[in-house]
Amino acid sequence: MKFGKEFASQMVPEWREAYMNYNNLKTLLKQILIFHRRQTRLPDNHVNSRPAPPSKAASLKRRVSLFRAFSGLTSRYGNNSPKEDKEDEVILVSAMQQADEEQGEDVQSYQTVFLRSSEEGGDLELVFFRGLDHEFNKVIQFYKSKVEEVVKQADELSQQMDALIALRIKVTNPTAAAAVAAAMSPFINRTNTGSIPLEVIHEDQQPKRTEVAKGYQMASLEVLNHVKVNVAPETPITTMKNVFKSLNPNLHFNKSEVKVAEEKLKQAFIEFHEKLRFLKNYAFLNQLAFSKIMKKYDKITSRNASGAYMKMVEESYLSQSDEVSKLIERVEAVFIKHFCNGNRHQGMDTLRPKAKRDKHRITFFVGCFFGLSLALTVAIIVSVHARDLLKSQGRTQYMNTIFPLYSMFGFLVLHILMYGGNVYFWARYRVNYSFIFGFKPSTELGFKEVLLLGFGLSVLTLAAVLSNLQMELDPQTKSYKTFTELLPLALVIVVILITICPFDIFYRANRFFLLVCLWHCICAPLYAVTLPDFFLADQFTSQVQLLRNLQFYVCYYGWGDFKHRNAETCNNSTVYDVLFIVIAVIPYWIRLLQCIRRWNDGRDSTQALNGLKYFSTIVALVTRTIYSQKGGIAFKVISASTSGFATIFSTYWDLVMDWGLLSRNSENPWLRDKLILPSRSIYFIAMVLNVILRLAWMQTVMDFRELPFLHKNALTAIFASLEIIRRGIWNFFRLENEHLNNVGKFRAVKSVPLPFSYEDGYKNL
């Protein structure tokens, strides 16, 4: 793999704009290469060849230099290094102070003076070094800002650790506070240089009491008088107490508070350590990129400028700063000591989770299940054709009862497959979906795992359909076989049992994550709304027909209609008709409550408008359902007008707010300033498809419910599938926009709420 691709693959996706623009500098070098070819009259197809050397001796000298040991990133140029002849000098690099208008202070920047600008083609090389300086100064400024940020966070975590240690001492053994503190406390340096964040002293390096009195101070219980605890778990009950201001935020000094505080602080350390690793990798990759680009420059121009430039790079803050490395060591030491009982192996496994490996057996089973699905589909078609089931007298009864039962699984399989496609394209275009959704490290499902679940469920469903293609009653018993009639119910029970299975099988971490998000949706607005919560609720708004089919399951099997394959109990029930409307409204009602909660938490007027959008959809859905049940010109006009307003509102919201498109003054006309997909036409195609698929509701208003060759339930299933496809397209662009927002704010790690908050003006020294 070429370095450019390797460099891009190792970047932190949210920091991509802050990395050295290697491709742009490589393009400038290509222009210099083309100029040299024209000067030496080399053919244009010699892309990888370098200009002819001036002499045979110089050629031999450069060829020998290819076999020298690399010393670019770690070597230091001291007084003993050989001095270059000033006549061979190509560049002079100097540091200068410039005023930064945004920060209001002077910042150090580097400028390269190209000494051969008077030569032919020197203007191209001058442009290259200007671009090189711009990239290097950008990298330096970003790295400095991030180092200052992590140092402040380290100081805050140190204060959090002081409060945690004091709380541990208070709860476990208050009478032996001094002894426990000597064994567990992270000592704070009180030298003239100030406190060192996250400084820890190991058991074998404990200072004596006299040394403690001179240079160190142990964490005392006094800090508990100046902190408030934030360890109360967020539940519907605590939310209601907060509404009525009845929740006491003070410490009660019990073990449950210690446990919750430890978990929160442990997660904060994990995220902080990940950020430090990102920052260390950022510095290394950029130094390597500057080394590579300068070697390419030397190769193309036959000059020797990389030594001088890399000397400047190695003497800069990017290479000389060791704050990040020290912080990584201190974080690891504190984490191992205080959260893993000194078990280094356990601590490092937690802080540095192993990369997820691609298992070949998953690929194998995906192929097997896909092949089985195709084979079962062909078998069903052949069976229907051979037995001439389409002309059977029981066809209508089958479509009214059995088809809705199995079509529910078809909707679910289609949604899973669309999500698998989303995951594939998110990974391909480096949309950090794992970070955005908040999955635990190495637990997110790749597209192959998602397809495995989808095709696996598809095989079970198609096998059940094939075994339940009985259209006529048994002439002797005047009923259908109980076993085959219970297959859909058994399939539902199997799916539910797998979803709630407590054992570590079938991707337990993801199932638990899904159940937590589902519970948050059910309890809306009693939980703070996160992106996974409203993202899942949006998926349910596109699965209204699935929820209605689930309602049919309860009625069909609960009242025993399955014995005679008759749905008269459901169709003739007024309660069923009312629940038919309520079930469809529930997903939109959840989204409305979530918008109200987000507006209350952030006072964002945008969320109020978003809630209005879902309210308009609820009104449109109710009027359409009533019209489909009762008919009438009045309901037809009302349903058409409310549906038209809701469709226009929702389409505009999708394109502008969720996708960030339709920007007039954008660099890409009517699109965003930044795009991930290489072709702009894909965005316009997606917008057109979104508008067309949004109009699927018109089939209800225009009485377009049944075709001569297609049953109305089959037509309903087709339109429901189109809505699922629209949601799958929406998913990609919605998360792409979220990813670009994170990129714009350089958010690469999760923000974890800390367990303790200090009083204003109090500093633990």
Side-chain angles (χ1 to χ4, degrees):
M1 183 182 292
K2 292 184 178 181
F3 175 75
K5 294 183 178 180
E6 183 69 23
F7 183 53
S9 66
Q10 295 294 329
M11 289 180 181
V12 179
E14 289 76 14
W15 292 356
R16 180 180 293 272
E17 296 296 326
Y19 283 83
M20 187 254 268
N21 195 336
Y22 185 82
N23 291 331
N24 182 47
L25 294 177
K26 192 175 177 181
T27 301
L28 296 177
L29 287 181
K30 188 175 181 180
Q31 296 176 359
I32 298 174
L33 178 61
I34 293 173
F35 175 81
H36 279 278
R37 284 186 185 147
R38 291 175 179 174
Q39 292 297 109
T40 55
R41 297 182 180 179
L42 288 177
D44 290 337
N45 58 355
H46 291 181
V47 177
N48 296 324
S49 62
R50 57 189 175 92
S55 63
K56 188 174 182 180
S59 175
L60 180 61
K61 181 178 180 180
R62 287 190 56 80
R63 185 169 298 180
V64 172
S65 68
L66 294 176
F67 299 95
R68 290 181 181 175
F70 175 74
S71 60
L73 297 180
T74 58
S75 62
R76 292 289 181 268
Y77 297 88
N79 296 329
N80 296 330
S81 59
K83 295 183 179 180
E84 297 180 359
D85 189 353
K86 290 189 176 182
E87 294 182 357
D88 295 334
E89 287 184 348
V90 181
I91 57 173
L92 290 177
V93 185
S94 58
M96 58 177 56
Q97 298 292 330
Q98 290 184 348
D100 190 346
E101 296 180 357
E102 296 182 0
Q103 298 181 359
E105 58 183 11
D106 292 339
V107 295
Q108 189 179 44
S109 63
Y110 294 87
Q111 183 176 1
T112 302
V113 179
F114 181 56
L115 303 177
R116 305 295 178 87
S117 59
S118 60
E119 298 180 1
E120 293 185 2
D123 53 341
L124 296 176
E125 297 182 48
L126 187 61
V127 171
F128 167 75
F129 280 109
R130 286 178 180 174
L132 190 67
D133 289 341
H134 172 74
E135 296 298 326
F136 185 71
N137 290 324
K138 177 187 71 175
V139 169
I140 287 288
Q141 292 175 12
F142 178 81
Y143 185 70
K144 280 186 177 179
S145 65
K146 285 298 178 182
V147 170
E148 292 174 358
E149 184 179 317
V150 296
V151 169
K152 292 180 181 178
Q153 291 179 2
D155 184 62
E156 187 175 8
L157 287 177
S158 296
Q159 295 186 31
Q160 294 288 317
M161 282 300 301
D162 287 338
L164 177 63
I165 297 302
L167 183 60
R168 280 176 172 176
I169 297 171
K170 183 73 175 179
V171 171
T172 55
N173 193 355
T175 58
V180 176
M184 300 181 64
S185 174
F187 292 82
I188 299 178
N189 194 331
R190 275 182 159 266
T191 60
N192 295 331
T193 58
S195 63
I196 301 176
L198 299 174
E199 185 68 24
V200 71
I201 295 182
H202 298 278
E203 303 292 345
D204 55 349
Q205 297 177 346
Q206 293 294 330
K208 298 178 181 179
R209 291 187 178 181
T210 56
E211 294 175 350
V212 172
K214 290 180 181 180
Y216 297 90
Q217 179 187 12
M218 292 180 293
S220 64
L221 302 181
E222 184 183 357
V223 298
L224 297 179
N225 299 325
H226 303 278
V227 298
K228 291 183 178 180
V229 67
N230 305 315
V231 299
E234 186 183 21
T235 62
I237 296 177
T238 57
T239 302
M240 295 300 296
K241 287 182 178 180
N242 283 327
V243 171
F244 296 102
K245 306 296 181 181
S246 61
L247 187 63
N248 185 9
N250 296 323
L251 286 169
H252 300 288
F253 306 118
N254 54 51
K255 292 183 178 181
S256 62
E257 288 179 341
V258 175
K259 184 177 181 180
V260 176
E262 285 179 347
E263 288 299 322
K264 283 191 172 185
L265 201 51
K266 180 179 180 180
Q267 188 61 35
F269 268 87
I270 293 173
E271 296 298 330
F272 184 63
H273 186 267
E274 183 179 21
K275 186 174 184 179
L276 291 175
R277 287 191 290 111
F278 285 164
L279 202 52
K280 184 177 180 180
N281 186 59
Y282 172 84
F284 171 76
L285 280 179
N286 280 286
Q287 291 179 71
L288 185 59
F290 282 108
S291 174
K292 290 287 186 181
I293 203 69
M294 286 306 301
K295 288 193 173 198
K296 282 185 176 292
Y297 170 81
D298 285 353
K299 180 179 179 181
I300 290 173
T301 61
S302 298
R303 302 188 189 278
N304 189 20
S306 60
Y309 199 87
M310 291 310 300
K311 178 180 179 182
M312 178 272 297
V313 172
E314 291 169 0
E315 293 176 351
S316 67
Y317 184 82
L318 186 67
S319 179
Q320 294 294 328
S321 173
D322 60 350
E323 286 94 339
V324 174
S325 298
K326 289 182 178 179
L327 279 176
I328 289 177
E329 295 177 359
R330 292 168 185 165
V331 167
E332 291 174 355
V334 171
F335 189 84
I336 292 169
K337 184 178 182 65
H338 296 284
F339 297 104
C340 299
N341 295 322
N343 189 332
R344 181 172 181 81
H345 180 73
Q346 177 187 353
M348 297 309 296
D349 282 347
T350 306
L351 290 174
R352 297 181 179 179
K354 297 180 180 179
K356 190 176 180 180
R357 295 182 179 180
D358 190 10
K359 299 178 180 178
H360 296 290
R361 66 173 178 267
I362 293 178
T363 307
F364 172 77
F365 281 114
V366 168
C368 285
F369 289 151
F370 176 69
L372 287 173
S373 299
L374 290 180
L376 288 171
T377 302
V378 172
I380 292 173
I381 295 174
V382 171
S383 178
V384 170
H385 180 73
R387 296 160 60 183
D388 202 15
L389 297 180
L390 294 178
K391 297 180 180 180
S392 174
Q393 294 181 356
R395 168 180 173 268
T396 301
Q397 193 173 12
Y398 185 90
M399 293 299 296
N400 287 332
T401 55
I402 303 301
F403 181 81
L405 301 179
Y406 286 117
S407 63
M408 185 186 75
F409 293 99
F411 300 146
L412 187 58
V413 169
L414 178 60
H415 211 129
I416 293 174
L417 296 181
M418 290 297 297
Y419 179 72
N422 290 146
V423 171
Y424 171 77
F425 285 106
W426 287 333
R428 179 176 179 180
Y429 294 106
R430 294 182 61 77
V431 175
N432 197 353
Y433 70 95
S434 175
F435 164 67
I436 294 174
F437 285 132
F439 293 122
K440 292 183 178 180
S442 302
T443 62
E444 72 280 2
L445 296 182
F447 77 97
K448 292 181 181 179
E449 288 88 350
V450 177
L451 294 181
L452 178 65
L453 295 175
F455 288 129
L457 181 59
S458 166
V459 169
L460 292 176
T461 304
L462 292 173
V465 170
L466 183 62
S467 61
N468 197 13
L469 279 177
Q470 184 183 6
M471 297 289 180
E472 304 295 341
L473 287 168
D474 188 340
Q476 296 181 355
T477 62
K478 299 298 181 179
S479 63
Y480 296 89
K481 293 181 179 179
T482 305
F483 174 76
T484 55
E485 294 301 301
L486 289 176
L487 278 177
L489 180 62
L491 202 56
V492 170
I493 294 174
V494 168
V495 172
I496 294 176
L497 290 178
I498 291 176
T499 304
I500 64 176
C501 177
F503 303 109
D504 193 8
I505 54 176
F506 298 113
Y507 309 112
R508 182 180 63 177
N510 292 272
R511 289 189 287 106
F512 180 77
F513 182 85
L514 176 64
L515 291 175
V516 170
C517 293
L518 180 61
W519 176 248
H520 289 178
C521 292
I522 295 173
C523 297
L526 300 179
Y527 284 97
V529 183
T530 60
L531 186 142
D533 298 337
F534 71 75
F535 192 87
L536 179 61
D538 276 323
Q539 307 309 304
F540 282 116
T541 60
S542 295
Q543 287 286 8
V544 171
Q545 194 58 40
L546 181 146
L547 297 176
R548 284 174 168 173
N549 287 358
L550 191 61
Q551 176 194 357
F552 181 74
Y553 261 93
V554 177
C555 178
Y556 185 71
Y557 286 102
W559 272 262
D561 290 345
F562 71 96
K563 297 178 181 178
H564 303 285
R565 196 177 285 182
N566 192 338
E568 291 183 0
T569 305
C570 302
N571 296 332
N572 299 328
S573 173
T574 305
V575 176
Y576 183 86
D577 292 341
V578 174
L579 290 178
F580 195 75
I581 301 176
V582 173
I583 289 294
V585 167
I586 287 176
Y588 298 97
W589 180 252
I590 291 174
R591 285 296 290 122
L592 175 60
L593 295 178
Q594 288 178 339
C595 291
I596 294 174
R597 175 60 189 263
R598 294 182 71 186
W599 173 80
N600 181 71
D601 291 343
R603 298 297 175 181
D604 185 3
S605 59
T606 304
Q607 294 302 322
L609 291 175
N610 198 17
L612 180 62
K613 179 194 74 172
Y614 287 105
F615 181 76
S616 67
T617 307
I618 291 174
V619 175
L621 183 61
V622 171
T623 55
R624 287 204 307 267
T625 306
I626 294 176
Y627 169 70
S628 65
Q629 293 176 347
K630 297 184 178 181
I633 299 298
F635 280 113
K636 183 174 184 178
V637 173
I638 294 174
S639 62
S641 58
T642 54
S643 297
F645 175 78
T647 300
I648 295 173
F649 197 170
S650 299
T651 302
Y652 173 81
W653 197 273
D654 285 349
L655 303 182
V656 177
M657 304 303 296
D658 290 341
W659 295 5
L661 303 177
L662 297 182
S663 301
R664 289 185 178 181
N665 301 323
S666 172
E667 296 178 2
N668 304 294
W670 297 105
L671 300 176
R672 302 190 205 96
D673 289 332
K674 297 179 181 179
L675 302 175
I676 289 181
L677 297 179
S679 176
R680 291 188 296 179
S681 61
I682 297 178
Y683 292 91
F684 292 105
I685 294 173
M687 287 191 283
V688 173
L689 284 176
N690 184 273
V691 174
I692 295 174
L693 296 177
R694 276 280 186 188
L695 298 178
W697 59 268
M698 293 182 65
Q699 59 91 14
T700 305
V701 179
M702 299 178 65
D703 297 329
F704 189 64
R705 306 178 188 177
E706 189 170 2
L707 296 174
F709 57 89
L710 200 62
H711 193 271
K712 64 177 182 179
N713 285 341
L715 190 63
T716 301
I718 291 175
F719 283 108
S721 300
L722 292 178
E723 170 59 21
I724 295 172
I725 293 173
R726 187 200 67 82
R727 179 60 62 183
I729 298 173
W730 180 91
N731 287 344
F732 176 83
F733 292 101
R734 175 64 183 88
L735 219 66
E736 178 200 20
N737 192 31
E738 186 70 22
H739 171 77
L740 291 174
N741 289 333
N742 289 336
V743 170
K745 299 177 182 178
F746 299 108
R747 293 183 299 196
V749 294
K750 291 185 290 186
S751 178
V752 180
L754 298 175
F756 305 102
S757 57
Y758 280 80
E759 294 179 355
D760 294 337
Y762 178 78
K763 182 73 174 179
N764 184 26
L765 295 175

